[in-house]
């Protein structure tokens, strides 16, 4: 306050007739007040301290958050976010996957598209320079890394989308049809690759990531067959052998590699991305997929409970795929969802009646957002749409709003009028009918 008063007095003595001129000069940033060396005699000597992102100085908590590569703070609750590898999925989850949380992916029937999202998550970690921890009981983690997709630049991604649209227009005849005006200005699910709101990268699933990039990445692997053969087969009363070894391995990596948030880190901060594939399957020694009343019913839920405690105290984010369609007891599925932060389910059209349905010919399956975490707030950021579908093109995997084509048949309303009346009678006797009960209400 003394420096401010002294500077203001010097400005008045130097001939500044209006104090508003002095305030304008102070807000200008030092061009007239102490800037250039010659103006320090007649101006103020104090300047506003501006923290430089990435510097080691104490510039506040925001600078420390931005210093970690591949992260950004949430605009809703200030939580530190990382990208899941799909910009469209990040948008559905409220901007990204929060650090210290668990993302549960309920696998599709043939585990085709869930494994692709799993690889997107790992590929995003390598591109951002994060440390990976890959755990699996089916595939060797080294083989999983060899199948990661190649990152796409923004210009290349735009070309790929244009190629997909042109290929679709060549296959189908062009039909000139106008849609209702209320649907013309609906926003797209995925933001454009050139917008500043996009978070994450795009990937080409037809190409593999280069060996130089994979070898330069830092990662840890947990392959269950190798871990079981190196230890005695002793199970605890709470968890089976595979889950116990995996928890010990994750805890050791978090503590030894400097990802523990409770202890100060001397080296540069980084994010640990944990990926666990097909957890709960019989390959992990669990029997929840084999019987309606399994012997180890609470083994997986206890594992998730301990894992969330490790994630909350560390700079890490975890993705787990679970074959929920194989779990016999639906109460176990409900407990698994409650113990997860974010739950996303995939429903594939392969082998179902929807595959032959012409209404779903442009899509390969549906995506369901079952749960979004409430972090630092009482409510969560819920998407404005519930009908979501995905499709796998030749190079990219996209998530879009589900738009069903209109039924242009001339006889559909005439032939089904009697069926509509009968169905309205079964639903509720007073809804959708006139007083007589023989004709439906015409709007």
């Amino acid at each position: 306050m003394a420096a401010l008063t002294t500077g203001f007095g010097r400005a008045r003595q130097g001939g500044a007739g209006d104090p508003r001129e002095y305030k304008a000069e102070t807000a200008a940033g030092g061009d007239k007040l102490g800037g250039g060396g010659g103006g320090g005699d007649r101006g103020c000597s104090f300047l506003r301290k501006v923290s430089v992102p990435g510097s080691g100085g104490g510039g506040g908590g925001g600078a420390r958050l931005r210093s970690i590569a591949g992260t950004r703070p949430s605009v809703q609750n200030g939580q530190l976010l990382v990208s899941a590898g799909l910009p469209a999925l990040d948008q559905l989850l409220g901007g990204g996957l929060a650090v210290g949380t668990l993302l549960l992916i309920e696998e599709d029937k043939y585990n085709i598209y869930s494994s692709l999202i799993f690889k997107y998550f790992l590929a995003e970690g390598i591109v951002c320079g994060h440390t990976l921890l890959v755990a699996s009981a089916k595939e060797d983690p080294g083989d999983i890394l060899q199948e990661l997709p190649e990152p796409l630049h923004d210009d290349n991604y735009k070309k790929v989308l244009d190629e997909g649209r042109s290929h679709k227009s060549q296959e189908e005849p062009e039909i000139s049809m106008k849609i209702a005006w209320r649907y013309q200005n609906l926003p797209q699910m995925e933001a454009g690759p050139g917008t500043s709101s996009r978070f994450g990268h795009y990937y080409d699933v037809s190409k593999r990531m280069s060996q130089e990039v994979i070898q330069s990445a830092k990662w840890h692997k947990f392959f269950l067959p190798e871990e079981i053969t190196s230890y005695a087969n002793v199970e605890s009363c709470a968890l089976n052998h595979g889950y116990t070894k995996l928890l010990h391995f994750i805890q050791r990596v978090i503590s030894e590699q400097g990802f523990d948030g409770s202890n100060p880190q001397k080296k540069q901060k980084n994010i640990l991305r944990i990926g666990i594939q097909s957890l709960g399957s019989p390959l992990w020694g669990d029997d929840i997929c084999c019987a309606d009343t399994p012997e180890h019913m609470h083994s997986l839920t206890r594992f998730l409970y301990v894992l969330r405690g490790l994630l909350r105290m560390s700079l890490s984010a975890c993705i787990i795929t679970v074959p929920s369609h194989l779990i016999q007891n639906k109460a176990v599925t409900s407990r698994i969802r409650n113990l997860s932060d974010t739950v996303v389910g995939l429903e594939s059209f392969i082998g179902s009646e929807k595959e032959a349905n012409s209404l779903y010919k442009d899509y390969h399956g549906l995506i369901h957002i079952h749960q979004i975490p409430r972090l630092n707030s009482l409510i969560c950021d819920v998407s404005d749409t519930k009908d979501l579908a995905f499709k796998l093109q030749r190079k990219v995997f996209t998530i879009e709003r589900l738009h069903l084509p209109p039924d242009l048949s001339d006889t559909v309303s005439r032939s089904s009028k009697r069926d509509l009346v009968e169905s309205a009678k079964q639903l509720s006797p007073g809804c959708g009918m006139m007083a007589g009960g023989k004709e439906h209400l015409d709007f």
Side-chain angles (χ1 to χ4, degrees):
M1 186 67 183
L4 179 60
T5 308
T6 306
F8 183 70
R10 289 181 182 177
R12 292 180 63 90
Q13 293 175 4
D18 192 354
R20 290 175 294 181
E21 297 178 2
Y22 172 76
K23 293 181 181 179
E25 290 175 356
T26 306
D31 293 338
K32 295 183 180 180
L33 302 179
D41 296 337
R42 58 184 181 88
C44 180
S45 60
F46 65 89
L47 296 175
R48 182 178 180 181
K49 184 178 180 181
V50 180
S51 60
V52 180
S55 62
R64 288 195 297 270
L65 292 179
R66 289 192 297 268
S67 63
I68 305 179
T71 63
R72 72 172 181 183
S74 172
V75 296
Q76 281 88 13
N77 48 40
Q79 187 76 21
L80 189 64
L81 302 178
V82 296
S83 175
L86 279 171
L89 183 59
D90 293 335
Q91 183 179 354
L92 293 174
L93 301 182
L97 182 63
V99 173
T101 60
L102 170 64
L103 170 61
L104 179 68
I105 302 294
E106 296 183 351
E107 297 178 358
D108 53 290
K109 188 175 181 179
Y110 296 99
N111 195 17
I112 299 176
Y113 305 103
S114 57
S115 62
L116 187 58
I117 296 180
F118 184 80
K119 295 173 183 177
Y120 273 130
F121 178 81
L122 299 178
E124 182 68 21
I126 293 181
V127 172
C128 296
H130 299 164
T131 305
L132 303 182
L133 192 155
V134 187
S136 176
K138 179 181 179 181
E139 302 179 60
D140 192 293
D143 298 337
I144 297 177
L145 293 185
Q146 298 297 326
E147 299 177 356
L148 296 183
E150 183 184 28
L152 273 174
H153 297 289
D154 293 343
D155 298 337
N156 296 335
Y157 178 77
K158 197 172 183 180
K159 292 179 181 178
V160 168
L161 290 182
D162 295 339
E163 290 176 0
R165 296 190 185 99
S166 62
H167 181 69
K168 181 179 178 181
S169 60
Q170 291 176 2
E171 290 181 352
E172 300 180 357
E174 184 178 359
I175 301 176
S176 59
M177 182 180 64
K178 293 183 178 180
I179 62 176
W181 59 270
R182 67 185 68 180
Y183 302 118
Q184 293 179 357
N185 298 324
L186 283 178
Q188 298 291 331
M189 175 55 59
E190 285 186 311
T195 59
S196 60
S197 60
R198 183 179 65 84
F199 185 46
H201 301 82
Y202 296 100
Y203 297 90
D204 186 356
V205 295
S206 64
K207 298 180 181 179
R208 297 291 177 259
M209 189 175 291
S210 62
Q211 294 295 325
E212 293 79 6
V213 177
I214 296 178
Q215 293 176 0
S216 63
K218 186 176 181 180
W219 64 286
H220 308 271
K221 82 168 188 175
F222 181 90
F223 191 38
L224 186 60
E226 297 178 356
E227 297 293 332
I228 288 181
T229 55
S230 60
Y231 295 95
N233 190 9
V234 179
E235 295 187 4
S236 62
C237 59
L239 299 174
N240 61 22
H241 181 65
Y243 295 160
T244 304
K245 294 301 178 184
L246 180 56
L247 283 176
H248 289 333
F249 182 77
I250 295 175
Q251 185 179 12
R252 184 170 64 252
V253 172
I254 289 176
S255 59
E256 294 179 358
Q257 301 298 325
F259 297 103
D260 192 356
S262 60
N263 298 327
Q265 302 179 11
K266 298 181 180 179
K267 59 181 181 179
Q268 184 179 2
K269 293 183 179 180
N270 199 0
I271 301 296
L272 175 64
R273 287 178 176 252
I274 304 174
I276 307 176
Q277 188 181 42
S278 297
L279 193 67
S281 64
L283 296 175
W284 284 95
D286 207 337
D287 58 347
I288 59 175
C289 298
C290 304
D292 193 9
T293 56
E295 182 181 357
H296 306 285
M297 180 180 292
H298 303 288
S299 184
L300 179 57
T301 55
R302 288 168 179 164
F303 171 82
L304 295 176
Y305 183 81
V306 179
L307 178 61
R308 286 183 65 183
L310 293 175
L311 295 176
R312 291 293 193 270
M313 300 176 61
S314 62
L315 289 174
S316 58
C318 182
I319 181 174
I320 294 179
T321 63
V322 174
S324 59
H325 61 283
L326 298 178
I327 299 178
Q328 303 295 328
N329 195 340
K330 298 305 177 183
V332 178
T333 305
S334 178
R335 294 169 187 166
I336 293 174
R337 290 181 179 179
N338 293 333
L339 287 172
S340 304
D341 297 304
T342 307
V343 181
V344 177
L346 298 179
E347 179 186 353
S348 174
F349 293 158
I350 300 178
S352 64
E353 298 179 355
K354 296 180 181 180
E355 184 180 10
N357 195 337
S358 60
L359 299 178
Y360 302 100
K361 63 180 180 179
D362 295 332
Y363 307 102
H364 293 154
L366 302 177
I367 182 169
H368 307 284
I369 308 297
H370 296 297
Q371 182 173 312
I372 296 179
R374 294 173 174 87
L375 303 174
N376 302 335
S377 60
L378 298 177
I379 60 174
C380 60
D381 182 46
V382 182
S383 177
D384 58 347
T385 180
K386 301 297 182 181
D387 300 327
L388 300 171
F390 64 85
K391 58 182 177 180
L392 178 60
Q393 300 178 359
R394 188 170 63 92
K395 293 185 178 182
V396 294
F397 179 87
T398 58
I399 300 176
E400 301 176 355
R401 286 184 174 92
L402 179 61
H403 297 291
L404 298 180
D407 195 347
L408 302 179
S409 176
D410 296 334
T411 59
V412 61
S413 59
R414 300 174 184 175
S415 60
S416 61
K417 182 182 296 185
R418 191 170 301 171
D419 298 336
L420 289 174
V421 175
E422 296 297 331
S423 61
K425 290 180 181 179
Q426 296 177 0
L427 290 176
S428 60
C431 178
M433 294 185 296
M434 298 296 288
K438 295 184 178 181
E439 294 186 4
H440 58 283
L441 183 62
D442 188 9
F443 291 96

